[in-house]
Coordinates of all heavy atoms in Angstrom, one line a residue:
M1 N 11.5 10.2 -25.0 CA 10.4 11.2 -24.8 C 10.5 12.2 -25.9 O 11.6 12.7 -26.3 CB 10.6 11.8 -23.4 CG 9.7 13.0 -23.2 SD 8.0 12.9 -22.5 CE 7.6 11.2 -22.3
N2 N 9.4 12.6 -26.4 CA 9.3 13.6 -27.4 C 8.1 14.5 -27.2 O 7.3 14.2 -26.4 CB 9.3 13.0 -28.9 CG 8.2 12.1 -29.1 OD1 7.0 12.4 -28.8 ND2 8.4 10.9 -29.7
C3 N 8.0 15.5 -28.0 CA 6.9 16.5 -27.8 C 5.5 15.9 -28.0 O 4.6 16.3 -27.4 CB 7.1 17.7 -28.6 SG 8.6 18.7 -28.1
Q4 N 5.5 14.9 -28.9 CA 4.2 14.3 -29.2 C 3.7 13.5 -28.0 O 2.5 13.5 -27.7 CB 4.3 13.3 -30.4 CG 3.0 12.7 -30.8 CD 1.9 13.7 -31.2 OE1 2.2 14.8 -31.7 NE2 0.7 13.4 -30.9
E5 N 4.6 12.8 -27.3 CA 4.2 12.1 -26.1 C 3.8 13.0 -25.0 O 2.8 12.7 -24.3 CB 5.4 11.2 -25.6 CG 5.7 10.1 -26.6 CD 7.0 9.4 -26.2 OE1 8.0 10.0 -26.0 OE2 7.0 8.1 -26.1
I6 N 4.4 14.1 -24.9 CA 4.0 15.1 -23.9 C 2.6 15.7 -24.3 O 1.8 15.8 -23.4 CB 5.1 16.3 -23.9 CG1 6.4 15.8 -23.4 CG2 4.6 17.4 -23.0 CD1 7.6 16.7 -23.5
K7 N 2.3 15.8 -25.5 CA 1.0 16.3 -26.0 C -0.1 15.2 -25.6 O -1.2 15.6 -25.2 CB 1.0 16.5 -27.5 CG 1.6 17.8 -27.9 CD 0.6 18.6 -28.7 CE 1.2 19.9 -29.2 NZ 0.9 21.0 -28.4
Q8 N 0.3 13.9 -25.7 CA -0.6 12.9 -25.3 C -0.9 13.0 -23.8 O -2.1 12.9 -23.4 CB 0.0 11.5 -25.6 CG 0.0 11.2 -27.1 CD 0.8 9.9 -27.4 OE1 1.5 9.4 -26.5 NE2 0.7 9.4 -28.6
A9 N 0.1 13.2 -23.0 CA -0.1 13.4 -21.6 C -1.0 14.6 -21.3 O -1.8 14.6 -20.4 CB 1.2 13.5 -20.9
E10 N -0.8 15.7 -22.1 CA -1.6 16.9 -21.9 C -3.0 16.6 -22.2 O -3.9 17.1 -21.5 CB -1.1 18.0 -22.8 CG -0.1 18.9 -22.2 CD 0.3 20.1 -23.1 OE1 0.5 19.9 -24.3 OE2 0.3 21.2 -22.6
Q11 N -3.3 15.8 -23.2 CA -4.7 15.5 -23.6 C -5.4 14.7 -22.5 O -6.5 15.0 -22.1 CB -4.7 14.7 -24.9 CG -4.4 15.6 -26.1 CD -4.2 14.8 -27.4 OE1 -4.1 13.6 -27.3 NE2 -4.1 15.5 -28.5
L12 N -4.6 13.8 -21.9 CA -5.1 13.1 -20.7 C -5.4 14.0 -19.5 O -6.4 13.8 -18.8 CB -4.2 11.9 -20.3 CG -4.0 10.8 -21.3 CD1 -2.9 9.9 -21.0 CD2 -5.3 10.0 -21.4
L13 N -4.5 15.0 -19.3 CA -4.7 15.9 -18.3 C -6.0 16.7 -18.5 O -6.8 16.9 -17.6 CB -3.5 16.9 -18.2 CG -3.6 18.0 -17.2 CD1 -3.4 17.4 -15.8 CD2 -2.6 19.1 -17.4
M14 N -6.2 17.2 -19.7 CA -7.4 18.0 -20.0 C -8.7 17.1 -19.9 O -9.7 17.6 -19.3 CB -7.3 18.5 -21.4 CG -6.3 19.7 -21.5 SD -6.3 20.5 -23.1 CE -5.4 19.3 -24.1
K15 N -8.7 15.9 -20.3 CA -9.8 15.0 -20.2 C -10.1 14.7 -18.7 O -11.3 14.7 -18.2 CB -9.6 13.6 -20.8 CG -9.6 13.7 -22.4 CD -9.4 12.3 -23.0 CE -9.3 12.4 -24.5 NZ -9.0 11.1 -25.1
G16 N -9.0 14.6 -17.9 CA -9.2 14.4 -16.5 C -9.8 15.6 -15.8 O -10.6 15.5 -14.8
Q17 N -9.4 16.8 -16.2 CA -9.9 18.0 -15.7 C -11.4 18.1 -15.9 O -12.2 18.5 -15.0 CB -9.2 19.2 -16.3 CG -7.8 19.4 -15.8 CD -7.0 20.4 -16.6 OE1 -7.3 20.6 -17.8 NE2 -6.1 21.1 -15.9
K18 N -11.9 17.7 -17.1 CA -13.3 17.6 -17.4 C -14.0 16.7 -16.5 O -15.1 16.9 -16.0 CB -13.5 17.3 -18.9 CG -13.1 18.4 -19.8 CD -13.3 18.0 -21.3 CE -12.8 19.1 -22.2 NZ -12.9 18.7 -23.6
C19 N -13.4 15.5 -16.2 CA -14.0 14.5 -15.3 C -14.2 15.1 -13.9 O -15.2 14.9 -13.3 CB -13.2 13.3 -15.3 SG -13.2 12.3 -16.8
I20 N -13.2 15.8 -13.4 CA -13.2 16.4 -12.1 C -14.4 17.4 -12.0 O -15.1 17.4 -11.0 CB -11.9 17.1 -11.7 CG1 -10.9 16.0 -11.3 CG2 -12.1 18.0 -10.6 CD1 -9.5 16.5 -11.0
K21 N -14.6 18.2 -13.1 CA -15.7 19.2 -13.0 C -17.1 18.5 -12.9 O -18.0 19.2 -12.4 CB -15.6 20.0 -14.3 CG -14.5 21.0 -14.3 CD -14.5 21.8 -15.6 CE -13.3 22.8 -15.6 NZ -13.2 23.6 -16.8
V22 N -17.2 17.3 -13.3 CA -18.5 16.6 -13.2 C -18.5 15.5 -12.1 O -19.3 14.5 -12.2 CB -19.0 16.1 -14.6 CG1 -19.3 17.2 -15.5 CG2 -18.0 15.1 -15.2
N23 N -17.5 15.6 -11.2 CA -17.4 14.7 -10.1 C -17.1 13.2 -10.5 O -17.5 12.3 -9.8 CB -18.6 14.8 -9.2 CG -18.7 16.1 -8.5 OD1 -17.7 16.8 -8.3 ND2 -19.9 16.6 -8.3
E24 N -16.5 13.0 -11.6 CA -16.1 11.7 -12.0 C -14.6 11.4 -11.6 O -13.7 11.4 -12.5 CB -16.3 11.5 -13.5 CG -17.8 11.6 -13.9 CD -18.0 11.5 -15.4 OE1 -17.0 11.5 -16.2 OE2 -19.2 11.5 -15.8
F25 N -14.4 11.3 -10.3 CA -13.0 11.3 -9.8 C -12.3 10.0 -10.1 O -11.1 10.1 -10.4 CB -13.1 11.6 -8.3 CG -13.7 12.9 -7.9 CD1 -14.9 12.9 -7.3 CD2 -13.1 14.1 -8.3 CE1 -15.5 14.1 -7.0 CE2 -13.7 15.3 -8.0 CZ -14.9 15.3 -7.3
E26 N -13.0 8.9 -10.2 CA -12.3 7.7 -10.5 C -11.8 7.7 -12.0 O -10.6 7.3 -12.2 CB -13.3 6.5 -10.4 CG -12.7 5.1 -10.5 CD -11.8 4.7 -9.3 OE1 -12.3 5.0 -8.1 OE2 -10.7 4.2 -9.5
D27 N -12.6 8.2 -12.9 CA -12.2 8.4 -14.3 C -11.0 9.3 -14.4 O -10.0 9.1 -15.1 CB -13.3 8.8 -15.2 CG -14.4 7.8 -15.3 OD1 -14.1 6.6 -15.1 OD2 -15.5 8.2 -15.7
A28 N -11.1 10.4 -13.7 CA -10.0 11.4 -13.7 C -8.7 10.8 -13.1 O -7.6 11.0 -13.7 CB -10.4 12.6 -12.8
L29 N -8.8 10.0 -12.1 CA -7.7 9.4 -11.5 C -7.0 8.5 -12.5 O -5.7 8.5 -12.6 CB -8.1 8.6 -10.2 CG -7.1 8.1 -9.3 CD1 -6.3 9.2 -8.7 CD2 -7.8 7.4 -8.1
N30 N -7.8 7.7 -13.2 CA -7.2 6.8 -14.2 C -6.5 7.5 -15.3 O -5.5 7.1 -15.8 CB -8.3 5.9 -14.8 CG -8.8 4.9 -13.7 OD1 -8.0 4.4 -12.9 ND2 -10.1 4.5 -13.8
L31 N -7.1 8.6 -15.8 CA -6.5 9.4 -16.9 C -5.2 10.0 -16.4 O -4.2 10.0 -17.2 CB -7.5 10.5 -17.3 CG -8.8 10.0 -18.1 CD1 -9.8 11.1 -18.1 CD2 -8.4 9.5 -19.5
F32 N -5.2 10.6 -15.2 CA -4.0 11.2 -14.7 C -2.9 10.2 -14.5 O -1.7 10.4 -14.8 CB -4.2 11.9 -13.4 CG -5.2 13.1 -13.5 CD1 -6.1 13.4 -12.4 CD2 -5.3 13.9 -14.6 CE1 -7.0 14.4 -12.5 CE2 -6.2 14.9 -14.7 CZ -7.0 15.2 -13.7
S33 N -3.3 9.0 -14.1 CA -2.3 7.9 -13.9 C -1.7 7.5 -15.2 O -0.4 7.3 -15.3 CB -2.9 6.7 -13.3 OG -3.3 7.0 -11.9
K34 N -2.5 7.4 -16.3 CA -2.0 7.1 -17.6 C -1.0 8.2 -18.1 O 0.0 7.9 -18.7 CB -3.1 7.0 -18.6 CG -3.9 5.7 -18.5 CD -5.1 5.7 -19.4 CE -5.9 4.5 -19.2 NZ -7.1 4.4 -20.0
G35 N -1.4 9.5 -17.8 CA -0.5 10.6 -18.2 C 0.8 10.6 -17.5 O 1.9 10.8 -18.1
I36 N 0.8 10.3 -16.2 CA 2.0 10.1 -15.4 C 2.9 9.0 -15.9 O 4.1 9.1 -16.0 CB 1.7 10.0 -13.9 CG1 1.1 11.3 -13.4 CG2 2.9 9.5 -13.1 CD1 0.4 11.1 -12.0
Q37 N 2.3 7.9 -16.3 CA 3.0 6.8 -16.9 C 3.7 7.2 -18.2 O 4.8 6.8 -18.4 CB 2.1 5.6 -17.1 CG 2.8 4.4 -17.5 CD 1.8 3.2 -17.7 OE1 0.6 3.3 -17.7 NE2 2.3 2.0 -17.7
I38 N 3.0 7.9 -19.0 CA 3.6 8.4 -20.3 C 4.8 9.2 -20.1 O 5.9 9.0 -20.7 CB 2.6 9.2 -21.2 CG1 1.5 8.2 -21.7 CG2 3.3 9.9 -22.3 CD1 0.3 8.9 -22.4
I39 N 4.7 10.2 -19.1 CA 5.8 11.1 -18.9 C 7.0 10.3 -18.2 O 8.2 10.5 -18.5 CB 5.4 12.3 -17.9 CG1 4.4 13.1 -18.7 CG2 6.6 13.1 -17.5 CD1 4.9 13.9 -19.9
G40 N 6.6 9.3 -17.3 CA 7.6 8.6 -16.6 C 8.6 9.5 -15.8 O 8.1 10.4 -15.2
D41 N 9.9 9.2 -15.9 CA 10.8 10.0 -15.2 C 11.6 10.9 -16.2 O 12.6 11.4 -15.9 CB 11.8 9.2 -14.3 CG 12.6 8.2 -15.1 OD1 12.5 8.2 -16.4 OD2 13.4 7.5 -14.5
N42 N 11.0 11.0 -17.4 CA 11.7 11.8 -18.5 C 11.7 13.3 -18.2 O 12.3 14.1 -18.9 CB 11.0 11.5 -19.8 CG 11.3 10.1 -20.2 OD1 12.4 9.7 -20.4 ND2 10.2 9.3 -20.4
Y43 N 10.9 13.8 -17.2 CA 10.8 15.2 -16.9 C 12.0 15.6 -16.0 O 12.2 16.8 -15.9 CB 9.5 15.5 -16.2 CG 9.4 14.8 -14.8 CD1 9.8 15.6 -13.7 CD2 9.1 13.5 -14.7 CE1 9.8 15.0 -12.4 CE2 9.1 12.9 -13.4 CZ 9.4 13.6 -12.3 OH 9.4 13.1 -11.1
I44 N 12.7 14.7 -15.4 CA 13.8 15.0 -14.5 C 14.9 15.7 -15.2 O 15.4 15.2 -16.2 CB 14.2 13.7 -13.7 CG1 13.0 13.2 -12.9 CG2 15.4 14.0 -12.8 CD1 13.3 11.8 -12.3
S45 N 15.4 16.7 -14.5 CA 16.6 17.5 -15.0 C 17.5 17.7 -13.8 O 17.0 17.9 -12.7 CB 16.1 18.8 -15.6 OG 17.2 19.5 -16.1
D46 N 18.8 17.8 -14.1 CA 19.8 18.1 -13.0 C 19.5 19.4 -12.3 O 19.8 19.4 -11.1 CB 21.2 18.0 -13.6 CG 21.6 16.7 -14.0 OD1 21.0 15.7 -13.6 OD2 22.5 16.6 -14.9
N47 N 19.0 20.4 -12.9 CA 18.9 21.7 -12.3 C 17.5 22.0 -11.7 O 17.2 23.1 -11.4 CB 19.3 22.8 -13.3 CG 18.4 22.7 -14.6 OD1 17.7 21.8 -14.8 ND2 18.5 23.8 -15.4
I48 N 16.7 21.0 -11.6 CA 15.3 21.2 -11.1 C 15.1 20.3 -9.9 O 15.4 19.1 -9.9 CB 14.3 20.9 -12.2 CG1 14.4 22.0 -13.3 CG2 12.9 20.9 -11.6 CD1 13.4 22.0 -14.3
K49 N 14.6 20.9 -8.8 CA 14.2 20.1 -7.6 C 12.8 19.6 -7.9 O 11.9 20.4 -8.2 CB 14.3 20.9 -6.4 CG 15.7 21.2 -6.0 CD 15.8 21.9 -4.7 CE 17.3 22.2 -4.4 NZ 17.4 22.8 -3.0
D50 N 12.5 18.3 -7.6 CA 11.2 17.7 -7.9 C 10.6 17.3 -6.6 O 11.1 16.5 -5.8 CB 11.4 16.5 -8.8 CG 10.2 15.8 -9.1 OD1 9.1 16.4 -9.2 OD2 10.2 14.5 -9.1
S51 N 9.4 17.8 -6.4 CA 8.6 17.4 -5.2 C 7.4 16.5 -5.6 O 6.6 16.2 -4.8 CB 8.1 18.6 -4.4 OG 7.2 19.4 -5.2
T52 N 7.3 16.2 -6.9 CA 6.1 15.5 -7.4 C 6.1 14.1 -6.9 O 5.0 13.5 -6.8 CB 5.9 15.6 -8.9 OG1 7.1 14.9 -9.5 CG2 5.8 17.0 -9.4
A53 N 7.2 13.5 -6.6 CA 7.2 12.1 -6.2 C 6.5 12.0 -4.8 O 5.8 11.1 -4.6 CB 8.7 11.6 -6.0
F54 N 6.7 13.0 -4.0 CA 6.0 13.0 -2.7 C 4.5 13.2 -2.9 O 3.8 12.5 -2.2 CB 6.6 14.2 -1.8 CG 5.8 14.4 -0.5 CD1 6.0 13.5 0.5 CD2 4.9 15.4 -0.4 CE1 5.3 13.6 1.7 CE2 4.2 15.5 0.8 CZ 4.4 14.7 1.9
K55 N 4.1 14.0 -3.8 CA 2.7 14.2 -4.1 C 2.1 12.9 -4.6 O 0.9 12.5 -4.3 CB 2.5 15.3 -5.1 CG 2.7 16.7 -4.5 CD 2.5 17.7 -5.6 CE 2.9 19.1 -5.1 NZ 2.8 20.1 -6.2
L56 N 2.8 12.2 -5.4 CA 2.4 10.9 -6.0 C 2.2 9.9 -4.9 O 1.2 9.2 -4.9 CB 3.3 10.5 -7.1 CG 2.8 9.3 -7.9 CD1 1.5 9.6 -8.6 CD2 3.9 9.0 -9.0
I57 N 3.1 9.8 -4.0 CA 3.0 8.9 -2.9 C 1.8 9.2 -2.0 O 1.0 8.3 -1.6 CB 4.3 8.9 -2.0 CG1 5.4 8.2 -2.8 CG2 4.1 8.1 -0.7 CD1 6.8 8.5 -2.1
L58 N 1.6 10.5 -1.8 CA 0.4 10.9 -1.0 C -0.9 10.6 -1.7 O -1.8 10.1 -1.1 CB 0.5 12.4 -0.7 CG -0.6 13.0 0.1 CD1 -0.6 12.4 1.5 CD2 -0.3 14.5 0.3
A59 N -0.9 10.8 -3.1 CA -2.1 10.5 -3.9 C -2.4 9.0 -3.8 O -3.6 8.6 -3.6 CB -1.9 10.9 -5.3
E60 N -1.4 8.2 -3.9 CA -1.6 6.7 -3.8 C -2.1 6.3 -2.4 O -3.0 5.4 -2.3 CB -0.3 6.0 -4.2 CG -0.1 6.1 -5.7 CD 1.3 5.7 -6.1 OE1 2.1 5.3 -5.2 OE2 1.6 5.7 -7.3
T61 N -1.6 7.0 -1.4 CA -2.1 6.7 0.0 C -3.5 7.1 0.1 O -4.3 6.3 0.7 CB -1.2 7.4 1.0 OG1 0.2 7.0 0.9 CG2 -1.7 7.2 2.4
E62 N -3.9 8.2 -0.4 CA -5.3 8.7 -0.3 C -6.2 7.8 -1.1 O -7.3 7.5 -0.7 CB -5.4 10.1 -0.8 CG -4.8 11.2 0.1 CD -5.4 11.2 1.5 OE1 -6.6 11.2 1.6 OE2 -4.7 11.3 2.5
E63 N -5.7 7.3 -2.2 CA -6.5 6.4 -3.1 C -6.8 5.1 -2.3 O -7.9 4.6 -2.3 CB -5.8 6.1 -4.4 CG -6.6 5.2 -5.3 CD -5.9 5.0 -6.6 OE1 -4.7 5.4 -6.8 OE2 -6.5 4.4 -7.5
K64 N -5.8 4.6 -1.6 CA -6.0 3.3 -0.8 C -6.9 3.5 0.3 O -7.7 2.6 0.7 CB -4.6 2.9 -0.3 CG -3.7 2.3 -1.4 CD -2.4 1.9 -0.8 CE -1.5 1.4 -1.9 NZ -0.1 1.2 -1.5
K65 N -7.0 4.8 0.9 CA -7.9 5.1 1.9 C -9.3 5.3 1.4 O -10.2 5.5 2.2 CB -7.4 6.3 2.7 CG -6.2 6.0 3.5 CD -5.6 7.1 4.4 CE -5.6 8.4 4.5 NZ -5.0 9.3 5.3
G66 N -9.5 5.4 0.1 CA -10.8 5.6 -0.5 C -11.1 7.1 -0.7 O -12.2 7.4 -1.1
N67 N -10.1 7.9 -0.5 CA -10.3 9.4 -0.7 C -10.0 9.7 -2.2 O -9.0 10.3 -2.5 CB -9.4 10.2 0.2 CG -9.8 10.0 1.6 OD1 -10.9 9.7 2.0 ND2 -8.8 10.0 2.5
I68 N -10.9 9.3 -3.1 CA -10.7 9.3 -4.5 C -10.6 10.8 -5.0 O -9.7 11.1 -5.9 CB -11.8 8.6 -5.3 CG1 -11.8 7.1 -4.8 CG2 -11.5 8.6 -6.8 CD1 -10.5 6.3 -5.0
E69 N -11.4 11.7 -4.5 CA -11.4 13.1 -4.9 C -10.0 13.7 -4.6 O -9.4 14.3 -5.4 CB -12.5 13.9 -4.3 CG -12.5 15.3 -4.7 CD -13.6 16.1 -4.1 OE1 -14.5 15.5 -3.4 OE2 -13.7 17.3 -4.4
T70 N -9.5 13.5 -3.4 CA -8.2 14.0 -3.0 C -7.1 13.4 -3.8 O -6.2 14.1 -4.3 CB -8.0 13.7 -1.5 OG1 -9.0 14.3 -0.7 CG2 -6.6 14.3 -1.0
A71 N -7.2 12.1 -4.0 CA -6.2 11.4 -4.8 C -6.1 12.0 -6.3 O -5.1 12.2 -6.8 CB -6.4 9.9 -4.9
A72 N -7.3 12.2 -6.8 CA -7.4 12.7 -8.2 C -6.8 14.1 -8.3 O -6.1 14.4 -9.2 CB -8.9 12.7 -8.7
N73 N -7.1 14.9 -7.3 CA -6.5 16.3 -7.3 C -5.0 16.3 -7.1 O -4.3 17.0 -7.8 CB -7.2 17.1 -6.2 CG -8.6 17.6 -6.7 OD1 -8.8 18.1 -7.7 ND2 -9.5 17.3 -5.8
L74 N -4.5 15.4 -6.3 CA -3.0 15.3 -6.1 C -2.4 14.8 -7.4 O -1.3 15.3 -7.8 CB -2.7 14.4 -5.0 CG -3.0 15.0 -3.6 CD1 -3.0 13.9 -2.5 CD2 -1.9 16.0 -3.2
K75 N -3.0 13.8 -8.1 CA -2.4 13.3 -9.3 C -2.5 14.3 -10.4 O -1.6 14.4 -11.3 CB -3.1 12.0 -9.7 CG -2.5 10.8 -8.9 CD -2.8 9.5 -9.5 CE -2.2 8.3 -8.7 NZ -2.3 7.0 -9.3
H76 N -3.6 15.1 -10.4 CA -3.7 16.2 -11.4 C -2.5 17.2 -11.2 O -1.8 17.5 -12.2 CB -5.0 17.0 -11.1 CG -5.1 18.3 -11.9 ND1 -4.6 19.4 -11.3 CD2 -5.5 18.5 -13.1 CE1 -4.8 20.4 -12.2 NE2 -5.3 19.9 -13.3
N77 N -2.2 17.6 -10.0 CA -1.1 18.5 -9.7 C 0.2 17.9 -10.1 O 1.1 18.6 -10.7 CB -1.1 18.9 -8.2 CG -2.3 19.7 -7.9 OD1 -2.9 20.3 -8.7 ND2 -2.6 19.7 -6.6
T78 N 0.4 16.6 -9.8 CA 1.6 15.9 -10.2 C 1.8 15.9 -11.7 O 2.9 16.2 -12.2 CB 1.6 14.4 -9.7 OG1 1.5 14.5 -8.2 CG2 2.8 13.7 -10.1
L79 N 0.8 15.5 -12.4 CA 0.9 15.4 -13.9 C 1.1 16.8 -14.5 O 1.9 17.0 -15.4 CB -0.4 14.7 -14.5 CG -0.4 14.6 -16.0 CD1 0.8 13.9 -16.5 CD2 -1.7 13.9 -16.4
D80 N 0.4 17.8 -14.0 CA 0.5 19.1 -14.5 C 1.9 19.6 -14.4 O 2.5 20.2 -15.3 CB -0.5 20.0 -13.8 CG -0.6 21.4 -14.4 OD1 -0.6 21.5 -15.7 OD2 -0.7 22.4 -13.7
T81 N 2.5 19.4 -13.2 CA 3.9 19.8 -13.0 C 4.9 19.1 -13.8 O 5.8 19.7 -14.4 CB 4.3 19.7 -11.5 OG1 3.4 20.5 -10.7 CG2 5.7 20.1 -11.2
R82 N 4.7 17.8 -13.9 CA 5.6 17.0 -14.7 C 5.5 17.3 -16.2 O 6.5 17.3 -16.9 CB 5.4 15.5 -14.5 CG 5.8 15.1 -13.1 CD 5.7 13.6 -12.9 NE 6.2 13.2 -11.5 CZ 6.3 12.0 -11.1 NH1 6.0 11.0 -11.9 NH2 6.7 11.8 -9.9
I83 N 4.3 17.6 -16.7 CA 4.2 18.1 -18.1 C 5.0 19.4 -18.3 O 5.7 19.5 -19.3 CB 2.7 18.2 -18.5 CG1 2.1 16.9 -18.6 CG2 2.6 19.0 -19.8 CD1 0.6 16.9 -18.8
A84 N 4.8 20.3 -17.4 CA 5.5 21.6 -17.5 C 7.0 21.4 -17.5 O 7.8 22.0 -18.3 CB 5.1 22.5 -16.4
L85 N 7.5 20.5 -16.7 CA 9.0 20.3 -16.6 C 9.5 19.5 -17.8 O 10.5 19.9 -18.4 CB 9.3 19.4 -15.3 CG 9.1 20.1 -14.0 CD1 9.2 19.1 -12.9 CD2 10.0 21.3 -13.8
A86 N 8.7 18.6 -18.3 CA 9.0 17.9 -19.6 C 9.1 18.8 -20.8 O 10.0 18.8 -21.6 CB 8.1 16.7 -19.8
K87 N 8.1 19.7 -20.8 CA 8.0 20.7 -21.9 C 9.3 21.6 -21.9 O 9.9 21.9 -23.0 CB 6.8 21.6 -21.8 CG 5.5 20.9 -22.3 CD 4.4 21.8 -22.0 CE 3.5 22.0 -23.2 NZ 2.3 22.9 -22.9
Q88 N 9.7 22.0 -20.7 CA 10.8 22.8 -20.6 C 12.1 22.0 -21.0 O 12.9 22.5 -21.7 CB 10.9 23.3 -19.1 CG 12.1 24.2 -18.9 CD 12.1 24.6 -17.4 OE1 11.2 24.4 -16.6 NE2 13.2 25.3 -17.0
K89 N 12.2 20.8 -20.5 CA 13.4 20.0 -20.8 C 13.5 19.7 -22.3 O 14.6 19.8 -22.8 CB 13.3 18.7 -20.0 CG 14.5 17.8 -20.2 CD 14.4 16.5 -19.4 CE 15.6 15.6 -19.6 NZ 15.5 14.4 -18.8
Y90 N 12.4 19.4 -22.9 CA 12.5 19.0 -24.4 C 12.1 20.2 -25.3 O 12.0 20.0 -26.5 CB 11.5 17.8 -24.6 CG 12.0 16.6 -23.9 CD1 11.6 16.2 -22.7 CD2 13.0 15.8 -24.5 CE1 12.0 15.1 -22.0 CE2 13.5 14.7 -23.8 CZ 13.0 14.3 -22.6 OH 13.5 13.2 -21.9
E91 N 12.0 21.4 -24.7 CA 11.7 22.6 -25.5 C 10.5 22.4 -26.4 O 10.5 22.8 -27.6 CB 13.0 23.0 -26.3 CG 14.2 23.2 -25.4 CD 15.4 23.6 -26.2 OE1 15.4 23.6 -27.4 OE2 16.4 23.9 -25.5
C92 N 9.4 22.0 -25.8 CA 8.2 21.8 -26.5 C 7.3 23.0 -26.2 O 7.4 23.6 -25.1 CB 7.4 20.6 -26.1 SG 8.4 19.1 -26.3
E93 N 6.4 23.4 -27.0 CA 5.5 24.5 -26.8 C 4.2 24.0 -26.3 O 3.7 23.0 -26.4 CB 5.3 25.3 -28.1 CG 6.5 26.0 -28.6 CD 6.3 26.8 -29.8 OE1 5.2 27.2 -30.0 OE2 7.3 27.1 -30.4

């Protein structure tokens, strides 16, 4: 993981946010999923408690139930948090 990869995930986050604003939740969901995949588990640090795995499970459950808007918002929150943690861990701005 490096700062450039984190920037790529950030760009996906921003694109997904734009999709949410125009009710394109399926597109947002796909963008957030790609960002989460880029970050992977590289955001994990020994001194940080992580609750994003629970949010991700909940998002996937909501997606399976057809609640795409809720799933997109949960994945947004997951990606946003993981980006912040990765930036902190790798000292990226």
Side-chain angles (χ1 to χ4, degrees):
M1 169 86 1
N2 60 46
C3 294
Q4 184 60 34
E5 291 170 311
I6 295 169
K7 283 233 182 266
Q8 289 173 345
E10 266 185 315
Q11 290 170 347
L12 292 169
L13 179 72
M14 288 186 284
K15 287 179 184 177
Q17 288 169 330
K18 289 178 183 177
C19 289
I20 283 178
K21 287 181 182 178
V22 294
N23 297 327
E24 295 175 355
F25 301 112
E26 189 74 43
D27 291 340
L29 195 59
N30 291 329
L31 291 164
F32 297 146
S33 294
K34 287 178 187 175
I36 290 167
Q37 186 177 17
I38 289 170
I39 297 292
D41 62 0
N42 294 302
Y43 67 96
I44 297 172
S45 178
D46 291 338
N47 59 347
I48 295 189
K49 292 185 179 187
D50 175 38
S51 65
T52 62
F54 175 73
K55 289 179 187 174
L56 191 54
I57 291 168
L58 185 57
E60 290 168 357
T61 301
E62 290 298 318
E63 184 177 4
K64 287 177 186 172
K65 290 185 333 187
N67 298 328
I68 303 302
E69 181 178 357
T70 301
N73 284 308
L74 286 164
K75 282 197 176 184
H76 168 269
N77 293 340
T78 299
L79 180 56
D80 191 39
T81 299
R82 289 184 179 187
I83 286 170
L85 293 172
K87 283 175 132 180
Q88 182 179 353
K89 181 177 179 180
Y90 293 96
E91 299 178 357
C92 303
E93 294 185 19

